[in-house]
């Protein structure tokens, strides 16, 4: 039976990529919500919380892809991204792939020397980021990195608070609408980094991401009317598969928290929809003790266990709840199982 499932999954994934999924969802469900900010986002980013429909997401991805293509980078060249795995980062990842470029999600908590090593190792020619994440100033960090990494020739920032020396993407994207996209002979890879050791960048394909997303989706069986709420902010395979990969594969609305807040988490779960909650495995005891664990909106919980995280009690105890454990072997390798 397992071999038959693997064969069916392989056939389903043939010729499938994130761009194909987004375009299909835009055609079939263009006005439905694709991405939604947590209600408290303005407190940690100065950005007013908003939502993007599949049609709006497609438009922003296309505009940014054409803007990136203006720079005439070599096919497969790296675009470094310094932002939580929220709307801006997802738009940047999808736009980079559409422009024939390879996105690299940098760890937000890295210092300048650590990030410089990753930028140089990847030969990044462009860098994209956001103005503020709590006390962090990613765009200032990217500007400083570009001065030291001479191959990085374009730095762009989302939002209104864009420092001098950084291109304001929101103002420039609309003007790139008529620039042609390059012809692609093949899809570029995504690049991932270990958030603890900063090992990398390691290469993963869209098929790798979608294959793991499909494996998780089969265990959770999300309905189109449900939503995925993820507290993961990094960009390794675990975060990509449980967040944007699964959302685009299933057409489910994605709410990425960006910066963890219990109030935001409770607000994202509220509303009556079935919720598929993605949490670091280390947070399971806290969830088990909280009122949130008994919330009837919870349809499933995905727990991401990273190396060095010990599993402690209490564990979640709800027979009606689908619980999926993801064991992270490396930034590019995960194992998935259902309890």
């Amino acid at each position: 039976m397992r071999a038959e499932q693997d064969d069916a999954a392989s056939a389903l994934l043939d010729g499938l990529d994130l761009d194909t999924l987004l375009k299909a969802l835009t055609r079939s469900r263009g006005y439905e919500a694709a991405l939604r900010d947590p209600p408290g986002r303005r407190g940690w980013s100065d950005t007013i919380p908003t939502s993007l429909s599949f049609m709006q997401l497609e438009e922003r991805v296309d505009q940014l892809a054409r803007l990136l293509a203006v720079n005439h980078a070599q096919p497969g060249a790296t675009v470094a991204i310094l932002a939580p795995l929220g709307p801006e980062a997802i738009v940047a990842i999808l736009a980079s792939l559409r422009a024939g470029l390879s996105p690299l999600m940098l760890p937000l908590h890295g210092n300048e020397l650590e990030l410089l090593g990753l930028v140089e190792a990847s030969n990044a020619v462009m860098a994209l980021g956001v103005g503020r994440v709590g006390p962090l100033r990613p765009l200032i960090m990217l500007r400083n990195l570009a001065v030291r990494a001479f191959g990085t020739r374009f730095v762009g920032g989302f939002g209104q608070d864009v420092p001098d020396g950084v291109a304001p993407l929101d103002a420039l994207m609309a003007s790139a609408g008529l620039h042609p996209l390059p012809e692609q002979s093949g899809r570029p890879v995504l690049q991932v980094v270990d958030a603890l050791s900063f090992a990398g960048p390691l290469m993963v394909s869209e098929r790798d991401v979608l294959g793991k997303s499909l494996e998780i989706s089969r265990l959770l069986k999300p309905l189109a009317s449900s939503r995925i709420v993820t507290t993961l902010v990094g960009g390794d395979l675990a975060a990509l598969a449980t967040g944007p990969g699964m959302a685009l594969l299933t057409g489910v609305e994605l709410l990425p928290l960006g910066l963890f807040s219990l109030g935001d988490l409770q607000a994202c779960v509220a509303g009556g929809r079935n919720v598929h909650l993605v949490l670091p495995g280390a947070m399971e005891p806290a969830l088990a003790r909280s009122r949130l664990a008994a919330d009837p909106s919870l349809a499933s919980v995905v727990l991401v266990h990273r190396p060095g995280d010990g599993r402690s009690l209490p564990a979640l105890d709800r027979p009606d709840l689908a619980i999926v454990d993801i064991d992270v072997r490396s930034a590019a390798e995960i194992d998935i199982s259902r309890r």
Side-chain angles (χ1 to χ4, degrees):
M1 180 63 72
R2 178 66 183 179
E4 292 177 0
Q5 288 179 338
D6 290 344
D7 290 343
S10 179
L12 180 62
L13 294 172
D14 285 343
L16 199 61
D17 55 50
L18 297 169
D19 213 35
T20 301
L21 290 169
L22 176 57
K23 289 179 178 178
L25 288 166
T26 300
R27 288 192 300 269
S28 61
R29 297 168 53 193
Y31 293 101
E32 296 181 31
L35 289 172
R36 189 180 301 275
D37 278 324
R41 172 167 179 170
R42 189 167 191 174
W44 55 264
S45 72
D46 302 326
T47 299
I48 297 173
T50 187
S51 66
L52 292 176
S53 66
F54 289 109
M55 190 177 296
Q56 290 168 324
L57 177 59
E58 160 66 24
E59 180 181 20
R60 285 178 66 79
V61 167
D62 195 68
Q63 288 177 333
L64 181 56
R66 293 176 188 277
L67 178 61
L68 297 179
V70 171
N71 291 274
H72 299 291
Q74 290 294 319
T78 300
V79 179
I81 301 165
L82 193 59
L85 192 60
E88 293 88 354
I90 292 171
V91 168
I93 290 169
L94 296 174
S96 298
L97 293 170
R98 185 173 293 188
L101 305 171
S102 175
L104 164 65
M105 283 284 289
L106 296 171
L108 272 170
H109 59 282
N111 62 39
E112 188 167 330
L113 189 60
E114 290 164 332
L115 296 182
L116 179 62
L118 292 170
V119 167
E120 291 185 331
S122 68
N123 295 314
V125 299
M126 304 182 204
L128 308 175
V130 294
R132 182 170 81 89
V133 183
L136 304 176
R137 298 295 187 273
L139 285 180
I140 293 176
M141 176 75 82
L142 286 178
R143 184 186 62 186
N144 294 343
L145 289 175
V147 171
R148 300 177 65 180
F150 296 109
T152 307
R153 59 178 184 260
F154 176 85
V155 180
F158 292 95
Q160 303 301 314
D161 187 19
V162 177
D164 292 339
V166 176
L169 293 178
D170 292 294
L172 295 174
M173 281 163 59
S175 65
L178 297 178
H179 190 83
L181 290 169
E183 295 288 335
Q184 291 192 43
S185 57
R187 297 285 290 180
V189 297
L190 297 95
Q191 300 179 60
V192 294
V193 175
D194 188 286
L196 299 176
S197 67
F198 292 92
L202 305 174
M203 309 299 175
V204 296
S205 68
E206 290 175 276
R207 188 185 181 93
D208 294 332
V209 174
L210 291 174
K212 293 302 182 182
S213 298
L214 179 60
E215 192 174 342
I216 299 165
S217 300
R218 283 178 162 171
L219 297 175
L220 303 184
K221 298 179 174 60
L223 301 173
S225 59
S226 60
R227 61 175 42 154
I228 299 167
V229 177
T230 179
T231 63
L232 304 185
V233 296
D236 62 1
L237 178 58
L240 292 171
T242 56
M246 193 164 69
L248 288 174
L249 186 67
T250 61
V252 173
E253 181 186 55
L254 178 64
L255 284 81
L257 257 64
L259 191 70
F260 183 81
S261 159
L262 181 58
D264 272 354
L265 178 56
Q266 291 171 329
C268 291
V269 171
R273 288 196 189 188
N274 284 346
V275 171
H276 306 278
L277 178 60
V278 184
L279 288 172
M283 293 184 65
E284 181 177 6
L287 177 62
R289 294 188 189 99
S290 71
R291 294 180 181 178
L292 192 59
D295 195 304
S297 296
L298 276 186
S300 68
V301 176
V302 178
L303 296 164
V304 179
H305 307 277
R306 301 189 182 278
D309 291 344
R311 301 194 188 186
S312 56
L313 298 175
L316 283 170
D317 183 20
R318 268 186 59 181
D320 64 317
L321 201 63
I323 302 176
V324 171
D325 290 300
I326 296 180
D327 290 296
V328 176
R329 304 301 179 194
S330 73
E333 184 181 6
I334 60 176
D335 295 328
I336 299 165
S337 60
R338 177 168 176 170
R339 290 188 193 173

